[in-house]
mmCIF file with all atom_site columns, all heavy atoms in Angstrom:
data_model
loop_
_atom_site.group_PDB
_atom_site.id
_atom_site.type_symbol
_atom_site.label_atom_id
_atom_site.label_alt_id
_atom_site.label_comp_id
_atom_site.label_asym_id
_atom_site.label_entity_id
_atom_site.label_seq_id
_atom_site.pdbx_PDB_ins_code
_atom_site.Cartn_x
_atom_site.Cartn_y
_atom_site.Cartn_z
_atom_site.occupancy
_atom_site.B_iso_or_equiv
_atom_site.pdbx_formal_charge
_atom_site.auth_seq_id
_atom_site.auth_comp_id
_atom_site.auth_asym_id
_atom_site.auth_atom_id
_atom_site.pdbx_PDB_model_num
ATOM 1   N N   . ALA A 1 1  ? 0.841   -1.202 0.000  1.00 0.00 ? 26 ALA A N   1
ATOM 2   C CA  . ALA A 1 1  ? 0.000   0.000  0.000  1.00 0.00 ? 26 ALA A CA  1
ATOM 3   C C   . ALA A 1 1  ? 0.872   1.246  0.000  1.00 0.00 ? 26 ALA A C   1
ATOM 4   O O   . ALA A 1 1  ? 1.951   1.260  0.599  1.00 0.00 ? 26 ALA A O   1
ATOM 5   C CB  . ALA A 1 1  ? -0.925  0.001  1.214  1.00 0.00 ? 26 ALA A CB  1
ATOM 6   N N   . VAL A 1 2  ? 0.420   2.300  -0.667 1.00 0.00 ? 27 VAL A N   1
ATOM 7   C CA  . VAL A 1 2  ? 1.262   3.485  -0.817 1.00 0.00 ? 27 VAL A CA  1
ATOM 8   C C   . VAL A 1 2  ? 0.935   4.607  0.162  1.00 0.00 ? 27 VAL A C   1
ATOM 9   O O   . VAL A 1 2  ? 1.735   5.519  0.350  1.00 0.00 ? 27 VAL A O   1
ATOM 10  C CB  . VAL A 1 2  ? 1.201   4.036  -2.260 1.00 0.00 ? 27 VAL A CB  1
ATOM 11  C CG1 . VAL A 1 2  ? 1.718   3.001  -3.243 1.00 0.00 ? 27 VAL A CG1 1
ATOM 12  C CG2 . VAL A 1 2  ? -0.208  4.477  -2.638 1.00 0.00 ? 27 VAL A CG2 1
ATOM 13  N N   . ALA A 1 3  ? -0.230  4.564  0.779  1.00 0.00 ? 28 ALA A N   1
ATOM 14  C CA  . ALA A 1 3  ? -0.614  5.639  1.703  1.00 0.00 ? 28 ALA A CA  1
ATOM 15  C C   . ALA A 1 3  ? -1.704  5.126  2.634  1.00 0.00 ? 28 ALA A C   1
ATOM 16  O O   . ALA A 1 3  ? -2.320  4.080  2.390  1.00 0.00 ? 28 ALA A O   1
ATOM 17  C CB  . ALA A 1 3  ? -1.104  6.869  0.948  1.00 0.00 ? 28 ALA A CB  1
ATOM 18  N N   . VAL A 1 4  ? -1.945  5.890  3.708  1.00 0.00 ? 29 VAL A N   1
ATOM 19  C CA  . VAL A 1 4  ? -2.977  5.515  4.665  1.00 0.00 ? 29 VAL A CA  1
ATOM 20  C C   . VAL A 1 4  ? -3.790  6.746  5.037  1.00 0.00 ? 29 VAL A C   1
ATOM 21  O O   . VAL A 1 4  ? -3.242  7.826  5.266  1.00 0.00 ? 29 VAL A O   1
ATOM 22  C CB  . VAL A 1 4  ? -2.381  4.864  5.930  1.00 0.00 ? 29 VAL A CB  1
ATOM 23  C CG1 . VAL A 1 4  ? -1.335  5.758  6.570  1.00 0.00 ? 29 VAL A CG1 1
ATOM 24  C CG2 . VAL A 1 4  ? -3.468  4.523  6.950  1.00 0.00 ? 29 VAL A CG2 1
ATOM 25  N N   . ILE A 1 5  ? -5.093  6.596  5.063  1.00 0.00 ? 30 ILE A N   1
ATOM 26  C CA  . ILE A 1 5  ? -6.023  7.619  5.544  1.00 0.00 ? 30 ILE A CA  1
ATOM 27  C C   . ILE A 1 5  ? -6.685  7.054  6.796  1.00 0.00 ? 30 ILE A C   1
ATOM 28  O O   . ILE A 1 5  ? -7.234  5.945  6.764  1.00 0.00 ? 30 ILE A O   1
ATOM 29  C CB  . ILE A 1 5  ? -7.098  7.960  4.492  1.00 0.00 ? 30 ILE A CB  1
ATOM 30  C CG1 . ILE A 1 5  ? -6.458  8.510  3.221  1.00 0.00 ? 30 ILE A CG1 1
ATOM 31  C CG2 . ILE A 1 5  ? -8.114  8.951  5.067  1.00 0.00 ? 30 ILE A CG2 1
ATOM 32  C CD1 . ILE A 1 5  ? -5.806  9.857  3.390  1.00 0.00 ? 30 ILE A CD1 1
ATOM 33  N N   . ALA A 1 6  ? -6.607  7.791  7.895  1.00 0.00 ? 31 ALA A N   1
ATOM 34  C CA  . ALA A 1 6  ? -7.181  7.308  9.145  1.00 0.00 ? 31 ALA A CA  1
ATOM 35  C C   . ALA A 1 6  ? -8.657  7.668  9.234  1.00 0.00 ? 31 ALA A C   1
ATOM 36  O O   . ALA A 1 6  ? -9.091  8.721  8.781  1.00 0.00 ? 31 ALA A O   1
ATOM 37  C CB  . ALA A 1 6  ? -6.430  7.917  10.322 1.00 0.00 ? 31 ALA A CB  1
ATOM 38  N N   . LYS A 1 7  ? -9.433  6.767  9.835  1.00 0.00 ? 32 LYS A N   1
ATOM 39  C CA  . LYS A 1 7  ? -10.844 7.063  10.099 1.00 0.00 ? 32 LYS A CA  1
ATOM 40  C C   . LYS A 1 7  ? -11.169 6.623  11.516 1.00 0.00 ? 32 LYS A C   1
ATOM 41  O O   . LYS A 1 7  ? -10.708 5.569  11.966 1.00 0.00 ? 32 LYS A O   1
ATOM 42  C CB  . LYS A 1 7  ? -11.759 6.377  9.085  1.00 0.00 ? 32 LYS A CB  1
ATOM 43  C CG  . LYS A 1 7  ? -11.700 4.853  9.096  1.00 0.00 ? 32 LYS A CG  1
ATOM 44  C CD  . LYS A 1 7  ? -12.630 4.248  8.056  1.00 0.00 ? 32 LYS A CD  1
ATOM 45  C CE  . LYS A 1 7  ? -12.586 2.730  8.093  1.00 0.00 ? 32 LYS A CE  1
ATOM 46  N NZ  . LYS A 1 7  ? -13.427 2.105  7.071  1.00 0.00 ? 32 LYS A NZ  1
ATOM 47  N N   . PRO A 1 8  ? -11.945 7.421  12.259 1.00 0.00 ? 33 PRO A N   1
ATOM 48  C CA  . PRO A 1 8  ? -12.284 7.062  13.636 1.00 0.00 ? 33 PRO A CA  1
ATOM 49  C C   . PRO A 1 8  ? -13.464 6.098  13.669 1.00 0.00 ? 33 PRO A C   1
ATOM 50  O O   . PRO A 1 8  ? -14.143 5.896  12.672 1.00 0.00 ? 33 PRO A O   1
ATOM 51  C CB  . PRO A 1 8  ? -12.675 8.409  14.245 1.00 0.00 ? 33 PRO A CB  1
ATOM 52  C CG  . PRO A 1 8  ? -13.297 9.135  13.090 1.00 0.00 ? 33 PRO A CG  1
ATOM 53  C CD  . PRO A 1 8  ? -12.528 8.700  11.858 1.00 0.00 ? 33 PRO A CD  1
ATOM 54  N N   . LYS A 1 9  ? -13.674 5.507  14.856 1.00 0.00 ? 34 LYS A N   1
ATOM 55  C CA  . LYS A 1 9  ? -14.835 4.630  15.007 1.00 0.00 ? 34 LYS A CA  1
ATOM 56  C C   . LYS A 1 9  ? -16.127 5.435  15.105 1.00 0.00 ? 34 LYS A C   1
ATOM 57  O O   . LYS A 1 9  ? -17.181 5.004  14.666 1.00 0.00 ? 34 LYS A O   1
ATOM 58  C CB  . LYS A 1 9  ? -14.677 3.767  16.266 1.00 0.00 ? 34 LYS A CB  1
ATOM 59  C CG  . LYS A 1 9  ? -13.708 2.598  16.092 1.00 0.00 ? 34 LYS A CG  1
ATOM 60  C CD  . LYS A 1 9  ? -13.776 1.683  17.303 1.00 0.00 ? 34 LYS A CD  1
ATOM 61  C CE  . LYS A 1 9  ? -13.028 0.385  17.058 1.00 0.00 ? 34 LYS A CE  1
ATOM 62  N NZ  . LYS A 1 9  ? -13.143 -0.539 18.203 1.00 0.00 ? 34 LYS A NZ  1
ATOM 63  N N   . LEU A 1 10 ? -16.030 6.627  15.719 1.00 0.00 ? 35 LEU A N   1
ATOM 64  C CA  . LEU A 1 10 ? -17.216 7.461  15.922 1.00 0.00 ? 35 LEU A CA  1
ATOM 65  C C   . LEU A 1 10 ? -17.071 8.762  15.131 1.00 0.00 ? 35 LEU A C   1
ATOM 66  O O   . LEU A 1 10 ? -15.967 9.189  14.802 1.00 0.00 ? 35 LEU A O   1
ATOM 67  C CB  . LEU A 1 10 ? -17.384 7.773  17.412 1.00 0.00 ? 35 LEU A CB  1
ATOM 68  C CG  . LEU A 1 10 ? -17.526 6.556  18.342 1.00 0.00 ? 35 LEU A CG  1
ATOM 69  C CD1 . LEU A 1 10 ? -17.575 7.000  19.791 1.00 0.00 ? 35 LEU A CD1 1
ATOM 70  C CD2 . LEU A 1 10 ? -18.779 5.753  17.986 1.00 0.00 ? 35 LEU A CD2 1
ATOM 71  N N   . GLY A 1 11 ? -18.183 9.400  14.852 1.00 0.00 ? 36 GLY A N   1
ATOM 72  C CA  . GLY A 1 11 ? -18.149 10.669 14.137 1.00 0.00 ? 36 GLY A CA  1
ATOM 73  C C   . GLY A 1 11 ? -17.602 10.535 12.735 1.00 0.00 ? 36 GLY A C   1
ATOM 74  O O   . GLY A 1 11 ? -16.915 11.415 12.226 1.00 0.00 ? 36 GLY A O   1
ATOM 75  N N   . LEU A 1 12 ? -17.918 9.415  12.089 1.00 0.00 ? 37 LEU A N   1
ATOM 76  C CA  . LEU A 1 12 ? -17.304 9.093  10.804 1.00 0.00 ? 37 LEU A CA  1
ATOM 77  C C   . LEU A 1 12 ? -17.676 10.085 9.715  1.00 0.00 ? 37 LEU A C   1
ATOM 78  O O   . LEU A 1 12 ? -16.820 10.543 8.950  1.00 0.00 ? 37 LEU A O   1
ATOM 79  C CB  . LEU A 1 12 ? -17.727 7.677  10.397 1.00 0.00 ? 37 LEU A CB  1
ATOM 80  C CG  . LEU A 1 12 ? -17.077 7.081  9.165  1.00 0.00 ? 37 LEU A CG  1
ATOM 81  C CD1 . LEU A 1 12 ? -15.571 7.037  9.329  1.00 0.00 ? 37 LEU A CD1 1
ATOM 82  C CD2 . LEU A 1 12 ? -17.622 5.678  8.907  1.00 0.00 ? 37 LEU A CD2 1
ATOM 83  N N   . ARG A 1 13 ? -18.936 10.442 9.644  1.00 0.00 ? 38 ARG A N   1
ATOM 84  C CA  . ARG A 1 13 ? -19.375 11.329 8.567  1.00 0.00 ? 38 ARG A CA  1
ATOM 85  C C   . ARG A 1 13 ? -18.660 12.682 8.640  1.00 0.00 ? 38 ARG A C   1
ATOM 86  O O   . ARG A 1 13 ? -18.130 13.165 7.635  1.00 0.00 ? 38 ARG A O   1
ATOM 87  C CB  . ARG A 1 13 ? -20.890 11.538 8.632  1.00 0.00 ? 38 ARG A CB  1
ATOM 88  C CG  . ARG A 1 13 ? -21.440 12.398 7.502  1.00 0.00 ? 38 ARG A CG  1
ATOM 89  C CD  . ARG A 1 13 ? -22.955 12.547 7.630  1.00 0.00 ? 38 ARG A CD  1
ATOM 90  N NE  . ARG A 1 13 ? -23.647 11.287 7.443  1.00 0.00 ? 38 ARG A NE  1
ATOM 91  C CZ  . ARG A 1 13 ? -24.027 10.833 6.251  1.00 0.00 ? 38 ARG A CZ  1
ATOM 92  N NH1 . ARG A 1 13 ? -23.758 11.535 5.158  1.00 0.00 ? 38 ARG A NH1 1
ATOM 93  N NH2 . ARG A 1 13 ? -24.665 9.698  6.164  1.00 0.00 ? 38 ARG A NH2 1
ATOM 94  N N   . ASP A 1 14 ? -18.623 13.301 9.831  1.00 0.00 ? 39 ASP A N   1
ATOM 95  C CA  . ASP A 1 14 ? -17.958 14.600 9.979  1.00 0.00 ? 39 ASP A CA  1
ATOM 96  C C   . ASP A 1 14 ? -16.463 14.480 9.697  1.00 0.00 ? 39 ASP A C   1
ATOM 97  O O   . ASP A 1 14 ? -15.854 15.341 9.061  1.00 0.00 ? 39 ASP A O   1
ATOM 98  C CB  . ASP A 1 14 ? -18.166 15.161 11.389 1.00 0.00 ? 39 ASP A CB  1
ATOM 99  C CG  . ASP A 1 14 ? -19.598 15.612 11.619 1.00 0.00 ? 39 ASP A CG  1
ATOM 100 O OD1 . ASP A 1 14 ? -20.316 15.829 10.618 1.00 0.00 ? 39 ASP A OD1 1
ATOM 101 O OD2 . ASP A 1 14 ? -19.989 15.750 12.796 1.00 0.00 ? 39 ASP A OD2 1
ATOM 102 N N   . PHE A 1 15 ? -15.867 13.406 10.177 1.00 0.00 ? 40 PHE A N   1
ATOM 103 C CA  . PHE A 1 15 ? -14.430 13.214 9.978  1.00 0.00 ? 40 PHE A CA  1
ATOM 104 C C   . PHE A 1 15 ? -14.099 13.106 8.493  1.00 0.00 ? 40 PHE A C   1
ATOM 105 O O   . PHE A 1 15 ? -13.174 13.739 7.997  1.00 0.00 ? 40 PHE A O   1
ATOM 106 C CB  . PHE A 1 15 ? -13.961 11.960 10.708 1.00 0.00 ? 40 PHE A CB  1
ATOM 107 C CG  . PHE A 1 15 ? -12.487 11.689 10.540 1.00 0.00 ? 40 PHE A CG  1
ATOM 108 C CD1 . PHE A 1 15 ? -11.564 12.293 11.380 1.00 0.00 ? 40 PHE A CD1 1
ATOM 109 C CD2 . PHE A 1 15 ? -12.027 10.841 9.544  1.00 0.00 ? 40 PHE A CD2 1
ATOM 110 C CE1 . PHE A 1 15 ? -10.205 12.056 11.221 1.00 0.00 ? 40 PHE A CE1 1
ATOM 111 C CE2 . PHE A 1 15 ? -10.677 10.590 9.382  1.00 0.00 ? 40 PHE A CE2 1
ATOM 112 C CZ  . PHE A 1 15 ? -9.763  11.202 10.225 1.00 0.00 ? 40 PHE A CZ  1
ATOM 113 N N   . LEU A 1 16 ? -14.856 12.290 7.772  1.00 0.00 ? 41 LEU A N   1
ATOM 114 C CA  . LEU A 1 16 ? -14.585 12.109 6.355  1.00 0.00 ? 41 LEU A CA  1
ATOM 115 C C   . LEU A 1 16 ? -14.800 13.398 5.575  1.00 0.00 ? 41 LEU A C   1
ATOM 116 O O   . LEU A 1 16 ? -14.045 13.718 4.661  1.00 0.00 ? 41 LEU A O   1
ATOM 117 C CB  . LEU A 1 16 ? -15.454 10.986 5.789  1.00 0.00 ? 41 LEU A CB  1
ATOM 118 C CG  . LEU A 1 16 ? -15.066 9.570  6.235  1.00 0.00 ? 41 LEU A CG  1
ATOM 119 C CD1 . LEU A 1 16 ? -16.104 8.565  5.770  1.00 0.00 ? 41 LEU A CD1 1
ATOM 120 C CD2 . LEU A 1 16 ? -13.693 9.194  5.718  1.00 0.00 ? 41 LEU A CD2 1
ATOM 121 N N   . ASN A 1 17 ? -15.821 14.158 5.935  1.00 0.00 ? 42 ASN A N   1
ATOM 122 C CA  . ASN A 1 17 ? -16.037 15.445 5.279  1.00 0.00 ? 42 ASN A CA  1
ATOM 123 C C   . ASN A 1 17 ? -14.866 16.389 5.538  1.00 0.00 ? 42 ASN A C   1
ATOM 124 O O   . ASN A 1 17 ? -14.399 17.085 4.637  1.00 0.00 ? 42 ASN A O   1
ATOM 125 C CB  . ASN A 1 17 ? -17.350 16.077 5.754  1.00 0.00 ? 42 ASN A CB  1
ATOM 126 C CG  . ASN A 1 17 ? -18.570 15.432 5.118  1.00 0.00 ? 42 ASN A CG  1
ATOM 127 O OD1 . ASN A 1 17 ? -18.519 15.039 3.963  1.00 0.00 ? 42 ASN A OD1 1
ATOM 128 N ND2 . ASN A 1 17 ? -19.654 15.322 5.864  1.00 0.00 ? 42 ASN A ND2 1
ATOM 129 N N   . ASP A 1 18 ? -14.368 16.414 6.793  1.00 0.00 ? 43 ASP A N   1
ATOM 130 C CA  . ASP A 1 18 ? -13.234 17.269 7.139  1.00 0.00 ? 43 ASP A CA  1
ATOM 131 C C   . ASP A 1 18 ? -11.957 16.817 6.432  1.00 0.00 ? 43 ASP A C   1
ATOM 132 O O   . ASP A 1 18 ? -11.046 17.611 6.205  1.00 0.00 ? 43 ASP A O   1
ATOM 133 C CB  . ASP A 1 18 ? -13.000 17.276 8.660  1.00 0.00 ? 43 ASP A CB  1
ATOM 134 C CG  . ASP A 1 18 ? -14.117 17.983 9.416  1.00 0.00 ? 43 ASP A CG  1
ATOM 135 O OD1 . ASP A 1 18 ? -14.875 18.737 8.773  1.00 0.00 ? 43 ASP A OD1 1
ATOM 136 O OD2 . ASP A 1 18 ? -14.228 17.763 10.632 1.00 0.00 ? 43 ASP A OD2 1
ATOM 137 N N   . SER A 1 19 ? -11.864 15.534 6.104  1.00 0.00 ? 44 SER A N   1
ATOM 138 C CA  . SER A 1 19 ? -10.655 14.970 5.499  1.00 0.00 ? 44 SER A CA  1
ATOM 139 C C   . SER A 1 19 ? -10.727 14.908 3.982  1.00 0.00 ? 44 SER A C   1
ATOM 140 O O   . SER A 1 19 ? -9.901  14.259 3.345  1.00 0.00 ? 44 SER A O   1
ATOM 141 C CB  . SER A 1 19 ? -10.414 13.558 6.051  1.00 0.00 ? 44 SER A CB  1
ATOM 142 O OG  . SER A 1 19 ? -10.269 13.581 7.448  1.00 0.00 ? 44 SER A OG  1
ATOM 143 N N   . SER A 1 20 ? -11.690 15.592 3.400  1.00 0.00 ? 45 SER A N   1
ATOM 144 C CA  . SER A 1 20 ? -11.878 15.521 1.957  1.00 0.00 ? 45 SER A CA  1
ATOM 145 C C   . SER A 1 20 ? -10.623 15.910 1.186  1.00 0.00 ? 45 SER A C   1
ATOM 146 O O   . SER A 1 20 ? -10.197 15.214 0.260  1.00 0.00 ? 45 SER A O   1
ATOM 147 C CB  . SER A 1 20 ? -13.041 16.431 1.542  1.00 0.00 ? 45 SER A CB  1
ATOM 148 O OG  . SER A 1 20 ? -13.160 16.486 0.141  1.00 0.00 ? 45 SER A OG  1
ATOM 149 N N   . ALA A 1 21 ? -9.996  17.034 1.580  1.00 0.00 ? 46 ALA A N   1
ATOM 150 C CA  . ALA A 1 21 ? -8.800  17.506 0.865  1.00 0.00 ? 46 ALA A CA  1
ATOM 151 C C   . ALA A 1 21 ? -7.670  16.488 0.961  1.00 0.00 ? 46 ALA A C   1
ATOM 152 O O   . ALA A 1 21 ? -6.966  16.214 -0.017 1.00 0.00 ? 46 ALA A O   1
ATOM 153 C CB  . ALA A 1 21 ? -8.354  18.854 1.423  1.00 0.00 ? 46 ALA A CB  1
ATOM 154 N N   . GLU A 1 22 ? -7.505  15.892 2.149  1.00 0.00 ? 47 GLU A N   1
ATOM 155 C CA  . GLU A 1 22 ? -6.441  14.912 2.342  1.00 0.00 ? 47 GLU A CA  1
ATOM 156 C C   . GLU A 1 22 ? -6.678  13.682 1.476  1.00 0.00 ? 47 GLU A C   1
ATOM 157 O O   . GLU A 1 22 ? -5.745  13.158 0.847  1.00 0.00 ? 47 GLU A O   1
ATOM 158 C CB  . GLU A 1 22 ? -6.374  14.495 3.813  1.00 0.00 ? 47 GLU A CB  1
ATOM 159 C CG  . GLU A 1 22 ? -5.286  13.474 4.112  1.00 0.00 ? 47 GLU A CG  1
ATOM 160 C CD  . GLU A 1 22 ? -5.329  12.957 5.543  1.00 0.00 ? 47 GLU A CD  1
ATOM 161 O OE1 . GLU A 1 22 ? -6.244  13.348 6.291  1.00 0.00 ? 47 GLU A OE1 1
ATOM 162 O OE2 . GLU A 1 22 ? -4.442  12.158 5.895  1.00 0.00 ? 47 GLU A OE2 1
ATOM 163 N N   . LEU A 1 23 ? -7.904  13.212 1.425  1.00 0.00 ? 48 LEU A N   1
ATOM 164 C CA  . LEU A 1 23 ? -8.223  12.027 0.646  1.00 0.00 ? 48 LEU A CA  1
ATOM 165 C C   . LEU A 1 23 ? -7.996  12.271 -0.843 1.00 0.00 ? 48 LEU A C   1
ATOM 166 O O   . LEU A 1 23 ? -7.373  11.455 -1.536 1.00 0.00 ? 48 LEU A O   1
ATOM 167 C CB  . LEU A 1 23 ? -9.667  11.611 0.900  1.00 0.00 ? 48 LEU A CB  1
ATOM 168 C CG  . LEU A 1 23 ? -10.181 10.435 0.063  1.00 0.00 ? 48 LEU A CG  1
ATOM 169 C CD1 . LEU A 1 23 ? -9.387  9.179  0.358  1.00 0.00 ? 48 LEU A CD1 1
ATOM 170 C CD2 . LEU A 1 23 ? -11.666 10.205 0.331  1.00 0.00 ? 48 LEU A CD2 1
ATOM 171 N N   . VAL A 1 24 ? -8.502  13.387 -1.339 1.00 0.00 ? 49 VAL A N   1
ATOM 172 C CA  . VAL A 1 24 ? -8.350  13.685 -2.770 1.00 0.00 ? 49 VAL A CA  1
ATOM 173 C C   . VAL A 1 24 ? -6.878  13.860 -3.125 1.00 0.00 ? 49 VAL A C   1
ATOM 174 O O   . VAL A 1 24 ? -6.408  13.376 -4.160 1.00 0.00 ? 49 VAL A O   1
ATOM 175 C CB  . VAL A 1 24 ? -9.177  14.929 -3.150 1.00 0.00 ? 49 VAL A CB  1
ATOM 176 C CG1 . VAL A 1 24 ? -8.875  15.366 -4.579 1.00 0.00 ? 49 VAL A CG1 1
ATOM 177 C CG2 . VAL A 1 24 ? -10.663 14.641 -2.995 1.00 0.00 ? 49 VAL A CG2 1
ATOM 178 N N   . SER A 1 25 ? -6.122  14.530 -2.260 1.00 0.00 ? 50 SER A N   1
ATOM 179 C CA  . SER A 1 25 ? -4.685  14.694 -2.501 1.00 0.00 ? 50 SER A CA  1
ATOM 180 C C   . SER A 1 25 ? -3.976  13.342 -2.530 1.00 0.00 ? 50 SER A C   1
ATOM 181 O O   . SER A 1 25 ? -3.083  13.107 -3.345 1.00 0.00 ? 50 SER A O   1
ATOM 182 C CB  . SER A 1 25 ? -4.055  15.591 -1.432 1.00 0.00 ? 50 SER A CB  1
ATOM 183 O OG  . SER A 1 25 ? -4.540  16.904 -1.522 1.00 0.00 ? 50 SER A OG  1
ATOM 184 N N   . ALA A 1 26 ? -4.378  12.440 -1.623 1.00 0.00 ? 51 ALA A N   1
ATOM 185 C CA  . ALA A 1 26 ? -3.769  11.105 -1.579 1.00 0.00 ? 51 ALA A CA  1
ATOM 186 C C   . ALA A 1 26 ? -4.061  10.338 -2.861 1.00 0.00 ? 51 ALA A C   1
ATOM 187 O O   . ALA A 1 26 ? -3.188  9.631  -3.384 1.00 0.00 ? 51 ALA A O   1
ATOM 188 C CB  . ALA A 1 26 ? -4.282  10.341 -0.363 1.00 0.00 ? 51 ALA A CB  1
ATOM 189 N N   . VAL A 1 27 ? -5.270  10.465 -3.384 1.00 0.00 ? 52 VAL A N   1
ATOM 190 C CA  . VAL A 1 27 ? -5.626  9.788  -4.634 1.00 0.00 ? 52 VAL A CA  1
ATOM 191 C C   . VAL A 1 27 ? -4.810  10.347 -5.791 1.00 0.00 ? 52 VAL A C   1
ATOM 192 O O   . VAL A 1 27 ? -4.281  9.597  -6.629 1.00 0.00 ? 52 VAL A O   1
ATOM 193 C CB  . VAL A 1 27 ? -7.139  9.918  -4.906 1.00 0.00 ? 52 VAL A CB  1
ATOM 194 C CG1 . VAL A 1 27 ? -7.469  9.487  -6.338 1.00 0.00 ? 52 VAL A CG1 1
ATOM 195 C CG2 . VAL A 1 27 ? -7.933  9.086  -3.917 1.00 0.00 ? 52 VAL A CG2 1
ATOM 196 N N   . ARG A 1 28 ? -4.662  11.666 -5.832 1.00 0.00 ? 53 ARG A N   1
ATOM 197 C CA  . ARG A 1 28 ? -3.869  12.279 -6.906 1.00 0.00 ? 53 ARG A CA  1
ATOM 198 C C   . ARG A 1 28 ? -2.416  11.818 -6.820 1.00 0.00 ? 53 ARG A C   1
ATOM 199 O O   . ARG A 1 28 ? -1.778  11.547 -7.842 1.00 0.00 ? 53 ARG A O   1
ATOM 200 C CB  . ARG A 1 28 ? -3.936  13.801 -6.813 1.00 0.00 ? 53 ARG A CB  1
ATOM 201 C CG  . ARG A 1 28 ? -5.320  14.390 -7.073 1.00 0.00 ? 53 ARG A CG  1
ATOM 202 C CD  . ARG A 1 28 ? -5.245  15.914 -7.151 1.00 0.00 ? 53 ARG A CD  1
ATOM 203 N NE  . ARG A 1 28 ? -6.550  16.535 -7.073 1.00 0.00 ? 53 ARG A NE  1
ATOM 204 C CZ  . ARG A 1 28 ? -7.428  16.592 -8.073 1.00 0.00 ? 53 ARG A CZ  1
ATOM 205 N NH1 . ARG A 1 28 ? -7.123  16.046 -9.227 1.00 0.00 ? 53 ARG A NH1 1
ATOM 206 N NH2 . ARG A 1 28 ? -8.596  17.183 -7.903 1.00 0.00 ? 53 ARG A NH2 1
ATOM 207 N N   . ALA A 1 29 ? -1.887  11.746 -5.593 1.00 0.00 ? 54 ALA A N   1
ATOM 208 C CA  . ALA A 1 29 ? -0.508  11.286 -5.409 1.00 0.00 ? 54 ALA A CA  1
ATOM 209 C C   . ALA A 1 29 ? -0.370  9.831  -5.838 1.00 0.00 ? 54 ALA A C   1
ATOM 210 O O   . ALA A 1 29 ? 0.592   9.460  -6.527 1.00 0.00 ? 54 ALA A O   1
ATOM 211 C CB  . ALA A 1 29 ? -0.087  11.451 -3.955 1.00 0.00 ? 54 ALA A CB  1
#
């Protein structure tokens, strides 16, 4: 695997929304 995105057990929806830029950047990389 080339990268890791962390996700919590709780508050998943808010966390993923807040991490949108990180996720998209990781995909581009």
Side-chain angles (χ1 to χ4, degrees):
V27 298
V29 55
I30 299 293
K32 62 180 181 182
K34 283 189 169 183
L35 301 176
L37 187 58
R38 183 179 294 272
D39 289 341
F40 180 86
L41 288 172
N42 283 325
D43 291 343
S44 301
S45 174
E47 180 186 3
L48 176 62
V49 172
S50 294
V52 168
R53 294 188 194 283

